[in-house]
């Protein structure tokens, strides 16, 4: 005997299966990918442009920092070179100083102080002119000149005079 309760159950069951199937089909339809809209494409392009600008900014800042480092290094190298040049300039003795030191050395020598010896210096090259009382004194004058810092050569034109 079929009671109304027993009949409702299969109908209820069929209705439940149909509802679940419809729900599943609806969910499956929602997961389909749709073409992006114009607004979505525009938003994507703007985002990519902003990222490219940020990347370019980072690269530009890196290049600027690199350039600053090179400028600082160049400035330090220039300063070092200037200091070396100043030290070299201190070591180089000018011609007038060389002439004065040779004349002072000749004046200290007892044989050479009494005679007039002309000392000419050009770019460290010394020429001695004038009389010398002996060959030994003539050679000593050349030795005195060669001992002065900055002298590159000595042209000894001293003439030995018998006295």
């Amino acid at each position: 005997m079929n009671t109304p309760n027993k009949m409702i159950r299969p109908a209820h069951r069929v209705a439940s299966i149909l509802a679940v199937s419809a729900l599943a089909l609806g969910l499956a339809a929602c997961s389909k990918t749709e073409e992006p809209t114009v607004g979505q494409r525009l938003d994507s392009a703007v985002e990519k442009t902003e990222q490219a600008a940020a990347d370019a900014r980072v690269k530009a800042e890196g290049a600027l920092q690199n350039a600053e480092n090179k400028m600082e290094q160049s400035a330090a190298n220039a300063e070092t070179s200037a200091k070396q040049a100043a030290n070299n300039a201190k070591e180089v003795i000018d011609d007038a100083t060389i002439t004065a030191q040779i004349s002072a050395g000749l004046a200290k020598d007892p044989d050479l102080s009494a005679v007039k010896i002309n000392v000419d210096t050009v770019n460290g090259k010394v020429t001695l002119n004038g009389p010398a009382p002996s060959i030994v004194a003539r050679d000593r004058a050349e030795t005195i000149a060669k001992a002065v810092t900055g002298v590159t050569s000595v042209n000894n034109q001293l003439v030995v005079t018998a006295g």
Side-chain angles (χ1 to χ4, degrees):
M1 156 167 164
N2 277 341
T3 60
N5 236 356
K6 286 187 179 182
M7 289 187 122
I8 295 177
R9 276 193 199 158
H12 188 294
R13 208 177 255 173
V14 170
S16 294
I17 291 173
L18 286 176
V20 169
S21 297
L23 183 60
L25 286 173
L27 288 175
C30 287
S31 68
K32 288 184 180 175
T33 56
E34 296 179 14
E35 288 291 319
T37 64
V38 173
Q40 289 171 331
R41 286 187 208 153
L42 183 61
D43 288 344
S44 176
V46 167
E47 184 178 322
K48 287 179 183 176
T49 302
E50 288 174 347
Q51 183 60 45
D55 292 346
R57 185 178 326 114
V58 168
K59 287 180 181 178
E61 288 172 353
L64 179 62
Q65 184 63 42
N66 189 22
E68 287 176 354
N69 290 344
K70 286 183 179 181
M71 285 177 39
E72 288 174 2
Q73 185 178 10
S74 294
N77 289 345
E79 184 178 348
T80 300
S81 295
K83 287 180 181 178
Q84 288 174 346
N87 288 338
N88 290 344
K90 289 177 186 177
E91 292 174 6
V92 174
I93 299 176
D94 65 11
D95 292 339
T97 303
I98 291 171
T99 299
Q101 288 180 350
I102 292 171
S103 296
L106 295 174
K108 291 178 186 175
D109 187 278
D111 292 335
L112 298 171
S113 63
V115 293
K116 173 65 179 144
I117 297 176
N118 185 18
V119 180
D120 290 319
T121 308
V122 177
N123 296 325
K125 297 176 183 177
V126 176
T127 302
L128 301 175
N129 287 308
S134 67
I135 293 176
V136 173
R138 178 182 186 269
D139 292 341
R140 199 167 44 246
E142 185 172 340
T143 302
I144 291 170
K146 285 181 178 179
V148 173
T149 302
V151 172
T152 58
S153 66
V154 176
N155 180 7
N156 190 346
Q157 296 183 355
L158 294 177
V159 178
V160 177
T161 57

